Amino acid sequence: MSNHAIKKAAKDRIILGIDPGTNVMGYGIIHIKGVQPHLLIMDALHLSPKKSHPDRLKTIFEFTLELIRTHHPDELAIEAPFFGKNVQSMLKLGRAQGVAMAACLYQSVPIFEYSPKKIKQSITGNGNASKEQVAAMLKSIFSLKSLPDNLDATDGLAAALCHHFQGDNPSGAAAKSSSGWAGFLKKNPDRLRNG
């Protein structure tokens, strides 16, 4: 196998993108073959407003685990909660993000977090783009015949594609990676003390 073929094979990966929410969780999964992204799935999980908040969080956790077990993503790209005026909404959104991240950590899937502005900038070139503009760009990139009714699905896909566009070295300012204690200790062997 040539060096080029080895390098290309090493780039093949599957990225799960999630736009967290306690009412709707958008998600998209792409398969990177060489440098070309291919859409595997894009959809949204609709959570019943009749269920309690803890029950919805449980559903998000279990659904994310099922996505991981079915599609075997190499990485998670997740949209970071934005700072809004409604503190209660922000807390609920943070919890939704946290349980999706916990499912990935449980399955040893590395996590990369991106701000909404970074995702929009990466997809459209404009950090203040609308959901509709992001969706239209994704429709063009993936040659989609139509878009889903719920744009949370395209937001999840946008997170995955944003991560792909960052290449092998997403900057610390744009993304935060977490792979649990094993990853931390591997990067910081001096922190492990015996006895």
Side-chain angles (χ1 to χ4, degrees):
M1 190 181 270
S2 71
N3 282 344
H4 176 71
I6 292 170
K7 191 172 183 180
K8 185 175 180 184
K11 292 232 180 225
D12 283 10
R13 61 192 172 145
I14 294 173
I15 302 169
L16 166 60
I18 289 181
D19 175 32
T22 55
N23 295 322
V24 180
M25 180 185 90
Y27 62 93
I29 302 175
I30 58 176
H31 184 187
I32 311 302
K33 297 178 182 179
V35 295
Q36 189 65 35
H38 299 272
L39 176 64
L40 295 181
I41 189 170
M42 170 181 55
D43 207 343
L45 169 66
H46 295 268
L47 299 143
S48 171
K50 293 179 182 177
K51 284 190 173 183
S52 69
H53 185 65
D55 283 342
R56 283 185 264 171
L57 294 177
K58 181 176 184 263
T59 301
I60 292 168
F61 182 83
E62 291 171 342
F63 186 81
T64 305
L65 278 180
E66 188 59 33
L67 285 175
I68 294 165
R69 290 172 179 156
T70 302
H71 298 282
H72 310 287
D74 298 293
E75 295 156 334
L76 167 72
I78 193 163
E79 185 173 308
F82 57 89
F83 295 97
K85 292 179 181 176
N86 188 327
V87 176
Q88 286 300 319
S89 294
M90 195 174 70
L91 285 172
K92 287 181 179 178
L93 188 60
R95 289 176 188 151
Q97 183 201 38
V99 294
M101 291 170 72
C104 288
L105 290 170
Y106 184 70
Q107 294 293 312
S108 301
V109 177
I111 298 165
F112 296 85
E113 186 178 30
Y114 296 93
S115 71
K117 196 173 196 90
K118 176 68 180 177
I119 293 171
K120 291 174 182 178
Q121 175 72 35
S122 179
I123 304 302
T124 68
N126 175 5
N128 296 314
S130 67
K131 280 179 175 274
E132 291 77 13
Q133 288 171 317
V134 171
M137 186 60 75
L138 291 171
K139 184 178 180 184
S140 173
I141 291 169
F142 289 104
S143 302
L144 303 174
K145 291 181 180 174
S146 62
L147 289 169
D149 293 334
N150 193 307
L151 295 185
D152 291 294
T154 52
D155 285 350
L157 177 61
L161 190 60
C162 169
H163 180 60
H164 166 59
F165 286 160
Q166 303 315 301
D168 293 331
N169 300 305
S171 74
K176 300 172 191 171
S177 171
S178 174
S179 57
W181 281 109
F184 176 80
L185 291 174
K186 189 174 181 181
K187 292 177 186 173
N188 302 282
D190 57 310
R191 295 290 190 99
L192 183 62
R193 294 184 186 145
N194 293 323

